Amino acid sequence: MKPVLFALLTIVTASASASNIVINQRVPAAGVAVQGELIWQQQQISARPWNSAQLGGKVRVLLHMAGRISAKDQNAALIDALSKANLPHDRYQTTTIVNTDDAIPGSAVFVRASLKSAKEASPWSQFIIDANGAVRRAWQLKAGGSAVMVLDSEGRVRFAREGALTPAENQQVLALLKSLLEPQTS
């Protein structure tokens, strides 16, 4: 049954894929040199360069969004469901990339402050500030919006969608995560 389910999910999600994101492949190479990944260490937050080669090792939901409340709100229901799902931090991670180059003029400083607060509250989650829009360009995502991807532990895309997910798609993402996190038996 699982192979049939995965085949069906692959067909369904392939038609809803984000720009140049390809199902069962790694995301295209992208890097953030300005700002970058927020690190919580010794009660302080710092930033370091980040690149997409670091996306392996854990099952993850990757959220890419413009630095606008409207982009965040597009998938607030999924973000809420993920926080309630109590997924194992040793095998799962949420990665949020925020394009502050695509923020309402003058608001980027507030977006960065909000992300730093979120990192403090969820130190196991990954937050990346993309001040120049490098990831959006590399992945050819639409400006002003939001994209959701599910990556397996090898960093391969298993689900990809730009825009607001429907309630059914939110359930699809949660079911896929549960399946990817189940212990594999041989």
Side-chain angles (χ1 to χ4, degrees):
M1 183 67 177
K2 277 187 185 179
V4 173
L5 177 64
F6 278 127
L8 181 59
L9 287 175
T10 299
I11 291 168
V12 169
T13 57
S15 64
S17 290
S19 298
N20 69 350
I21 306 300
V22 178
I23 300 299
N24 290 322
Q25 299 292 318
R26 292 181 65 90
V27 294
V32 178
V34 177
Q35 298 288 324
E37 181 180 359
L38 297 179
I39 305 298
W40 176 250
Q41 198 169 25
Q42 299 175 347
Q43 307 299 311
Q44 291 189 1
I45 292 185
S46 60
R48 68 177 178 204
W50 174 88
N51 70 67
S52 59
Q54 301 167 356
L55 290 172
K58 291 184 179 186
V59 171
R60 68 184 69 230
V61 167
L62 193 151
L63 302 162
H64 182 283
M65 61 188 76
R68 303 166 180 252
I69 291 173
S70 59
K72 180 181 177 187
D73 289 348
Q74 284 183 4
N75 288 300
L78 177 64
I79 294 166
D80 187 49
L82 290 170
S83 68
K84 291 177 181 174
N86 199 25
L87 298 168
H89 299 156
D90 62 327
R91 296 181 294 130
Y92 169 80
Q93 187 170 45
T94 301
T95 297
T96 303
I97 303 169
V98 178
N99 178 6
T100 58
D101 188 47
D102 191 357
I104 295 171
S107 68
V109 67
F110 301 109
V111 173
R112 286 191 298 273
S114 175
L115 288 169
K116 289 177 181 180
S117 293
K119 180 64 178 181
E120 241 180 279
S122 302
W124 54 87
S125 294
Q126 190 175 41
F127 296 92
I128 293 99
I129 298 173
D130 185 357
N132 295 324
V135 177
R136 185 188 69 76
R137 284 190 308 278
W139 295 349
Q140 300 174 4
L141 300 172
K142 296 174 187 166
S146 175
V148 175
M149 293 164 233
V150 174
L151 307 182
D152 62 22
S153 61
E154 295 176 15
R156 293 181 310 230
V157 177
R158 301 300 289 273
F159 174 95
R161 172 97 158 71
E162 283 194 72
L165 271 60
T166 65
E169 289 169 325
N170 286 335
Q171 290 303 312
Q172 180 183 358
V173 165
L174 292 171
L176 179 57
L177 289 172
K178 182 179 177 187
S179 176
L180 291 171
L181 289 166
E182 284 179 356
Q184 302 300 313
T185 56
S186 22

